[in-house]
Every structure is written in C-alpha cells, then in structure tokens.
Amino acid sequence: YSNSIIVPFFQHGRVVTFASADITRQAEKKYTYLSREKSIVPVGNTLYNIDNAIDTVIVVEGITDVWRLGDGAVALGRKKFTSWQVKRLVKFKRVGIMLDSDATEMAEELAHNVGMFTEVVLYSLHEGDPADLTENVVNSIKEEFF
C-alpha cells in the first residue's frame, strides 16, 4: 500500500472493508480493494459513505466523487453494481444517479433497476466524473436534489 491512502468503508458504524487509492496517479488501477476473504463485508456488498445518507442519496462510482459531493452521496466502489447494492438503494425515498461520463449505459441500467421501486433522477455528465465538478455546480445539484 505504498504511495496510497487507505479509505475505510463503514457500515452501521464499523469498518467492514477498505480501498487503497494511489496518490501518484501512475498505478495501473486507481483503487485497489481489500480482498473478499479479508473483508468483513466485501466491497460489492457495501456502498461507500452509506452511514451518512438518510432518505435521499446520490450514487456515484468512486470515493473521490463522494468527497466532492459530500454527505448524501454514496459510491458503488467499482465500474459495476451488484444486486446487493440495488436492494439497498431501493430503500431510499429518492435516488440520484451520477456516474462518470463513460458509464452512461451502466447508469441507465442502474436507474431502470432502482426506478422500479423508488423515485430516480438520472444525471448525465458530458465529460469527466463528479469529482471534477465545480463548487457552484455541486451546490446547485445539492440544492435541487436534497
């Protein structure tokens, strides 16, 4: 884990797994995750920042996207979603989906799966990811959505 920061994933107030994020931006993978075998709960059965979401949530892909949007945002942690994550998301009254610009199809599929059970707002980014949004844009989205 050299040249990385360790980012804990909490669920019900306890650390259940973690990601390591490469701070050099030169690693092949931006994030690596604690193995399924070593995790209390594997990353596919978590949503990063879930303990800081109440009844409305915006779903993003990565940890830094959550850092940009703040509480109320949760991350899938990967470039795919799991059935566990869908089951957890449908418990919210309202779900916003704001995935990276290269994940339009996945965002639409997630919106379809979650939208059968709760209200969904799908946000499309023309380029980049939520971590790249300006403070003004983030404030506008949060004001509108929450």
Side-chain angles (χ1 to χ4, degrees):
Y1 301 110
S2 64
N3 296 318
S4 296
I5 53 173
I6 303 300
V7 182
F9 281 50
F10 288 87
Q11 207 165 286
H12 305 294
R14 65 184 245 222
V15 176
V16 294
T17 192
F18 68 80
S20 67
D22 172 52
I23 60 172
T24 67
R25 300 275 186 189
Q26 295 176 5
E28 186 177 317
K29 289 183 176 182
K30 187 176 180 179
Y31 302 107
T32 56
Y33 299 92
L34 186 62
S35 70
R36 176 179 272 285
E37 297 77 31
K38 292 182 180 178
S39 297
I40 295 170
V41 177
V43 72
N45 291 354
T46 63
L47 289 163
Y48 175 72
N49 201 40
I50 190 71
D51 283 2
N52 293 310
I54 300 172
D55 60 356
T56 303
V57 66
I58 295 180
V59 181
V60 296
E61 281 182 54
I63 296 163
T64 57
D65 301 331
V66 168
W67 294 347
R68 186 72 187 113
L69 293 175
D71 288 345
V74 297
L76 299 171
R78 297 193 172 176
K79 288 255 182 220
K80 58 185 175 180
F81 59 88
T82 65
S83 59
W84 182 93
Q85 290 169 325
V86 170
K87 287 176 189 173
R88 182 62 185 95
L89 289 170
V90 301
K91 294 179 180 181
F92 288 96
K93 292 180 183 173
R94 192 167 185 223
V95 176
I97 299 172
M98 184 186 298
L99 303 185
D100 297 359
S101 62
D102 64 352
T104 304
E105 287 182 28
M106 185 174 85
E108 290 171 357
E109 182 182 354
L110 181 58
H112 173 75
N113 289 327
V114 173
M116 291 190 284
F117 303 99
T118 192
E119 181 185 350
V120 170
V121 176
L122 183 59
Y123 293 92
S124 297
L125 297 178
H126 298 291
E127 61 183 12
D129 61 46
D132 300 327
L133 297 174
T134 66
E135 188 72 25
N136 287 341
V137 171
V138 168
N139 289 339
S140 177
I141 290 167
K142 288 168 77 171
E143 198 173 292
E144 169 194 312
F145 189 75
F146 294 107

